[in-house]
Amino acid sequence: MSTGDEAIQAAEERAESTRERNLPQFEDLPVPADTANLREGPNLNDACLALLPLVGVWRGEGEINYPTVDGPVRCAQQLTIAHDGRPFLYHEARSWLLDEDGKVIRPAAREVGWWRPQEDDTIELLLTHSSGIAEIFYGKPRSQTSWELGTDAVVRTATAKEVVGAQRLYGLVNNGDLGYVEERAMVGEPMQPHVSLYLRRVVG
């Protein structure tokens, strides 16, 4: 069996419990609905092919660590990357804190935004956070299964904490899971690791 055949077989095996799942949809929506399952809904726009492996719903755990945090602190996240056939991807992340036994303490960070791939392989990522911060990231694929981005601009409301910049790295690991690490410069601290997560596909 060739390497390509092995990769296809491995992908099919990983999808056994997720291929029939997708985002809840309203049947009467008059425009194409978002889909996080490439087997359903509109075809992925050609402009987004470099981001194809990200499409899905991912869920897993990790930790938050920073000099201003009494940590590391365990956390979990659900990340949704979906599309409606146009040349961008929808992004939504919901996080929550966990105690030492893995029980939920409370909801944590939320963010929504858009991945906007460009013809020169540049990726624009626009994110808005529930904490009052809006960020514009630019980046490029590092490989067919990893993407690195850094902030070009950060805007915050008067009540948000000081954030100067951030860097993110997303990548498929261990034959199909999603690893994510973020560095941040904020509240007077230099750029340094802040969040790391290991997510498994639950839709797509």
Side-chain angles (χ1 to χ4, degrees), residues 158-171:
T159 57
K161 63 184 168 185
E162 179 194 23
V163 174
V164 177
Q167 297 175 350
R168 292 189 173 195
L169 175 63
Y170 295 86

Side-chain angles (χ1 to χ4, degrees), residues 9-23 36-37 39-40 57-59 176-177 200-204:
Q9 181 177 339
E12 287 298 312
E13 291 173 356
R14 288 194 304 272
E16 284 183 5
S17 62
T18 64
R19 71 173 71 245
E20 304 300 329
R21 304 181 75 184
N22 203 347
L23 304 173
N37 189 328
R39 300 172 183 83
E40 300 180 16
V57 179
W58 308 83
R59 192 179 295 165
D177 297 330
R200 291 184 173 87
R201 183 183 295 278
V202 296
V203 166

Side-chain angles (χ1 to χ4, degrees), residues 32 34 42-52 55 81-91 113-126:
D34 287 345
N43 292 330
L44 185 69
N45 192 285
D46 287 349
C48 295
L49 290 177
L51 299 171
L52 181 151
V55 176
I81 305 288
H83 76 98
D84 66 2
R86 290 183 285 173
F88 56 81
L89 302 180
Y90 167 71
H91 172 115
W114 310 96
W115 294 74
R116 292 168 34 85
Q118 304 301 310
E119 291 183 1
D120 64 354
D121 288 336
T122 298
I123 302 167
E124 301 172 357
L125 174 59
L126 289 74

Side-chain angles (χ1 to χ4, degrees), residues 116-147:
R116 292 168 34 85
Q118 304 301 310
E119 291 183 1
D120 64 354
D121 288 336
T122 298
I123 302 167
E124 301 172 357
L125 174 59
L126 289 74
L127 292 180
T128 303
H129 303 261
S130 58
S131 57
I133 298 164
E135 298 170 323
I136 297 176
F137 289 81
Y138 283 92
K140 288 197 173 185
R142 292 182 60 180
S143 68
Q144 292 184 341
T145 56
S146 63
W147 306 266

